Amino acid sequence: MGLVDKGRMPAPLTKLFNMSRSYSLWVYQWGLACCAIEMGAAFGSPRYDVMRLGVIPLPASPRQADFVCVSGTVTDKMAPAVKRLWEQMPEPKYAISMGSCANCGGPYWDSYSVTKGVDQIIPIDVYVPGCPPRPEALLEGVVLLQQRIKNEDMQAKWKGDEFTTLQATREAERGQLSAGEPTGQTTHDISTDPQPIPERDRPEPIVVGGGPIE
């Protein structure tokens, strides 16, 4: 994967790799409280059959996982363990926050021992609101995450940099060319871009249903 690290991936090959990754995701389940029941129904029940989406549950360890689903109340005592397991996951990695407790603390948000959302510990790509959300809502979050993976900039993601979309990267490259820079670069390359991509071009975390994070 040296081409990815150097930012020399041709755009068609980038699309192919992104699509392949989006349909071969090992999910690591962090069920911390009640919402874990609904998560188990989505990932373990034949009624929903999550493997038809290209998502495989129950990896051997975090080191084999592509994304994690955190469901339930994250306490201050549990927070260091959650962060340590997240750091063991290899890049590129993603996270889904499922349920009100994982999103913002839920009904226990004012407790002295509860973390006010798992996003204070790890970066979250998709929020699934509800108390608890239905398994269908979690599956929708998985599909939305797959759509994001298909359009992301592989170089930035694999290096662990802040997430940028492939579309935003191309717009930045076109802006450079219009400013009179050399046109010899024909492959997807942002390693020489001296200007960071504006914040407005960086996608916000996805919220299933489009409502508030709660």
Side-chain angles (χ1 to χ4, degrees), residues 26-30 39 43 65-70 82 85-86 89 93-97 122-124 126 145:
W26 285 83
V27 54
Y28 195 59
Q29 299 93 348
W30 291 347
M39 180 182 66
F43 288 149
D66 297 298
F67 85 92
V68 61
C69 180
V70 182
V82 172
L85 291 173
W86 168 259
M89 294 174 59
K93 55 188 176 183
Y94 310 88
I96 292 180
S97 175
I122 63 176
I124 298 298
V126 180
L145 176 61

Side-chain angles (χ1 to χ4, degrees), residues 50-191:
V50 73
M51 294 184 70
R52 64 190 165 89
L53 301 176
V55 176
I56 306 173
L58 303 176
S61 75
R63 294 178 174 86
Q64 283 76 47
D66 297 298
F67 85 92
V68 61
C69 180
V70 182
S71 59
T73 309
V74 182
T75 62
D76 293 342
K77 189 174 181 178
M78 179 63 68
V82 172
K83 185 176 182 180
R84 184 165 59 250
L85 291 173
W86 168 259
E87 291 172 348
Q88 292 177 7
M89 294 174 59
E91 292 286 352
K93 55 188 176 183
Y94 310 88
I96 292 180
S97 175
M98 178 184 180
S100 298
C101 289
N103 291 344
C104 60
Y108 315 108
W109 67 272
D110 58 346
S111 172
Y112 71 95
S113 62
V114 171
T115 303
K116 310 303 187 289
V118 71
D119 54 5
Q120 297 191 21
I121 310 168
I122 63 176
I124 298 298
D125 294 277
V126 180
Y127 292 92
V128 183
C131 185
R134 291 180 58 85
E136 292 90 343
L138 177 57
L139 296 185
E140 182 181 353
V142 171
V143 172
L144 293 174
L145 176 61
Q146 289 175 323
Q147 293 175 0
R148 167 166 288 187
I149 294 173
K150 291 178 184 178
N151 295 314
E152 77 180 356
D153 175 12
M154 290 185 65
Q155 182 193 12
K157 188 64 181 179
W158 284 55
K159 283 187 174 182
D161 297 336
E162 189 168 357
F163 177 85
T164 57
T165 62
L166 182 58
Q167 180 181 4
T169 302
R170 288 176 178 170
E171 291 177 356
E173 291 174 350
R174 284 197 297 268
Q176 287 184 348
L177 297 180
S178 63
E181 296 193 4
T183 59
Q185 178 60 266
T186 57
T187 57
H188 175 56
D189 184 6
I190 63 170
S191 58

